[in-house]
Structures are given as structure tokens and as C-alpha cells.
Amino acid sequence: MGKISAAITAVGKYVPDFVLTNKELETMVDTNDEWITTRTGIKERRILKGEGKGTSFMAIKAAEELIQKRGIDPKEIDLVIVGTATPDLQVAATAAFVASEIGATNAFAFDLEAACSSFLYGMSTASSYIESGRYKKVLLIGADKMSSILDYTDRTTCIIFGDGAGAALFEPNEEGLGFQDEYLRSDGIGRNFLKIDAGGSLLPASEETVKNKQHFVFQDGKSVYKYAVSNMAEVSAKIMERNNLEEKDVDWLVPHQANKRIIDATASRMGVDSSKVMMNIQKYGNTTSATLPLLLADYEKQLKKGDNLVFAAFGGGFTWGSIYLKWAYNS
Ligand code: UT7
């Protein structure tokens, strides 16, 4: 028996129906379609509407699509991880609710929070469980209802983010496909630049924090941009170097969708042509934990068994990194 690697064997996605366009945002804040398009690459984003629908609503839909596509019994799933910065509730793990709702009654479940790097870090976690031989089916979901933590009077943040969910199933592979290598980083300096000030243990919710709008996302965009653009490019170049990958060996760059300019800079540093760069930021904006699996779902039909994928992400904390994975199936 060969060495066990961790392969993605199915993907699923869900985005809400409601489309919030740049034009619509022009009526809400002092912005315009041209500024948003040229600065970020975003044209529209999806927003989850309706009372009583949290992040789990989208996570469940994405997971159900995956389960149906893969044709498995949810009872076979050993572990459900939900990467999210917007859990349904502060204490109860969203993943536990998702696992129960999808019928994964034999699984244990937990949330993983690393802001926009949640799914990337989750890939590392899921793969480690599979490679160790401890579990056979790990369901990793990236889901965020960013609209629940945005101030729609703040033009510096409300134009960027959107809601969505994506899921990937990790299973053992004996052909050497799947997860190959990772280079993951973090730096606590980042919490000055991208954060929600209140509602955590440092500054619990109070009338004052609500009045001061401290439960919304704050981002010093310029500073985050500087760190993101250099670090995402650096880790992606590093993972190529470490694995002796030349530009021609990379079939796809799978980059976190925060800003088209950051993605272009990463691709350029890697020497990868834009035709090999997955991109859907124009449709969904930055969906935080959901960007990477949404890309996989949108590009699934173009992926071939054996393709070399380089994932890269950068997010709050700061957290960032790159993962090299070989695609394991033709769809
Ligand atoms: O996913 C997690 C990690 N996050 C990121 O990677 C995001 C990184 N940051 C960015 O993507 C960019 O910094 C933004 C897209 C957030 C902003 O783009 P920028 O080119 O860095 O713009 P800026 O913040 O430097 O602002 C430039 C100007 C400012 O006006 P002045 O001071 O030059 O007169 C802003 O007030 O644009 C103004 N501005 C806007 N104008 C129209 C800021 N937001 C808007 C807006 N519409 N929505």
C-alpha cells in the first residue's frame, strides 16, 4: 500500500439569489461603479436576505449539493469543519449544527476561524486528519455571511464583501494526488488593521459599543493591501520553489478573492499567465472563508485529474499562506 495523501473528491457551493450591484451601492454610499471596478475588480456581490438565516443556512446548502454530487451517505462523514468569521452564534459551534442538519450524525464538528485564511488553514487540518489515517471523510466548508457584520454607510468596507459558501470533501488517495505541501504564516500585527473591535472578550458588547458602531468590520485598506500584495506573492513563489514547480508546471492559481490587483500581482510574481488564474471576484466580491471553495466549484468542469493547483490566501490576524495540491478527478 502506498503513502496516503488527502485528495479533494467533490465540491459544492451556494450563493444567495439577491444580487447587490455596484450601481445599487451608488444609491447607498458615496461611491461609483468605476471606482469599485478599477480598485477591486468587483461588479456585484450576493447578499443573504431573510429573517433567521445565518451562515449555517448557506453552509448546509453547499454541503448538501456536495453530498448529492458525490453520492455518499452523510453518515459516512467523520468530521465537519466550518471555516467562518461569522458563526451563527458566539459560543455554539456552527459546524455542529451543520453536521446535524445534513445528517452527518456520526461526525464530530468544529469551527475554524482564521478570517480570510480559514479555508486555507482548514485544508491543512482536513488533510492532516486524512494523511494520518485517522479519518476517511472530512467535509470542509467555508461560509460567511459578511453582510451581517458590515456597516452599509461605510463605503470603505461595504463595497468589498459578499455572502456565500463552498464545500470540499477530503478523502484518502493512494495515487499521490491531493495535498502536496503547505507554507502557512501569521503575524499578530495585523489586528490593528482589519478587525471587529467589540463583542469579543476584550471589549464585550454594551450600549456604548453599539452606538459607536464597533460591531462592524473595520479595515485600514491601504495597510492591509500593502501586506497582502507582498505576502501572498511571496508565499506562492516560495511554494513553487520548494516543490521545484516552474510556471509551466502550474495549471491553476487559486487565489483568495480580496482584490483583483492583489491577485494579478501574485500571478505576475509567480510568472503565471492570467488564463491560469481562477477569478470570480466580479460576481461575488470577497466572501472571506468561501472564496477558495467557490472558485473550485465554479471551475470544477475545467479541472483535470493530475492538474497542479497553487492556493494562496491572505486575511485578518494577519493570517496567510499557500498550499500546493494535485487535483484528483475529472468531472
Ligand atoms: O480579504 C482580507 C484582506 N483584505 C484585503 O486584502 C483588502 C486589501 N485592501 C484593498 O483591497 C484596497 O485597499 C481597497 C480596495 C480596500 C481600497 O483601495 P485603495 O486603492 O487602497 O484605496 P484607498 O483606501 O487608498 O482610497 C483611495 C481614495 C480615498 O480618497 P482620497 O483620500 O484619495 O481623497 C478614499 O477615501 O478612494 C476613496 N475611497 C472611495 N471612493 C469611492 C475609499 N473607498 C471608496 C469607495 N468609493 N467605495
Side-chain angles (χ1 to χ4, degrees), residues 67-325:
I67 288 164
Q68 190 260 325
K69 276 165 71 180
R70 180 81 179 108
I72 55 165
D73 180 343
K75 290 191 178 60
E76 294 169 38
I77 298 170
D78 301 301
L79 164 61
V80 177
I81 305 171
V82 174
T84 187
T86 53
D88 280 10
L89 304 170
Q90 274 301 324
V91 173
T94 299
F97 180 68
V98 171
S100 293
E101 290 295 303
I102 63 174
T105 47
N106 291 317
F108 73 106
F110 60 84
D111 295 349
L112 192 159
E113 208 281 291
C116 293
S117 304
S118 299
F119 193 84
L120 189 86
Y121 284 15
M123 289 175 68
S124 168
T125 311
S127 297
S128 302
Y129 275 121
I130 297 289
E131 286 163 359
S132 72
R134 192 175 295 182
Y135 301 117
K136 298 271 182 288
K137 284 185 172 54
V138 178
L139 177 62
L140 174 64
I141 304 168
D144 268 305
K145 184 183 171 186
M146 294 305 292
S147 61
S148 67
I149 52 170
L150 291 176
D151 174 2
Y152 282 95
T153 64
D154 176 4
R155 69 176 182 173
T156 68
T157 50
C158 76
I159 58 116
I160 296 171
F161 297 98
D163 302 338
L169 186 68
F170 287 76
E171 294 187 75
N173 182 283
E174 290 184 24
E175 297 176 273
L177 300 171
F179 189 94
Q180 304 293 313
D181 192 19
E182 68 183 20
Y183 183 60
L184 305 180
R185 311 291 308 137
S186 66
D187 185 344
I189 195 174
R191 81 173 181 178
N192 299 318
F193 306 117
L194 178 48
K195 60 182 173 177
I196 293 178
D197 272 316
S201 56
L202 213 51
L203 183 60
S206 67
E207 276 182 38
E208 199 67 13
T209 60
V210 173
K211 207 172 74 204
N212 294 338
K213 297 186 165 192
Q214 287 171 294
H215 296 274
F216 293 123
V217 170
F218 162 84
Q219 178 172 245
D220 170 353
K222 225 189 241 315
S223 299
V224 177
Y225 184 89
K226 275 189 207 140
Y227 281 97
V229 82
S230 59
N231 285 319
M232 228 166 94
E234 194 216 308
V235 291
S236 309
K238 182 136 187 152
I239 208 99
M240 284 175 72
E241 192 186 303
R242 259 172 39 165
N243 292 279
N244 299 316
L245 293 173
E246 291 177 20
E247 176 278 316
K248 64 171 172 36
D249 304 318
V250 176
D251 296 293
W252 295 100
L253 169 62
V254 194
H256 172 53
Q257 307 283 293
N259 187 316
K260 185 175 181 301
R261 290 183 290 145
I262 299 174
I263 298 167
D264 290 344
T266 303
S268 153
R269 171 83 180 271
M270 295 166 72
V272 168
D273 187 77
S274 61
S275 62
K276 295 177 170 185
V277 180
M278 292 191 189
M279 188 103 69
N280 58 15
I281 192 170
Q282 69 283 0
K283 294 193 289 184
Y284 307 139
N286 182 347
T287 54
T288 303
S289 311
T291 60
L292 299 182
L294 281 175
L295 285 172
L296 292 179
D298 282 357
Y299 281 83
E300 185 186 23
K301 289 204 163 45
Q302 296 178 56
L303 295 174
K304 290 192 237 26
K305 189 172 172 179
D307 276 357
N308 287 324
L309 275 57
V310 173
F311 294 76
F314 186 91
F318 292 130
T319 55
W320 74 100
S322 183
I323 283 177
Y324 165 35
L325 175 139

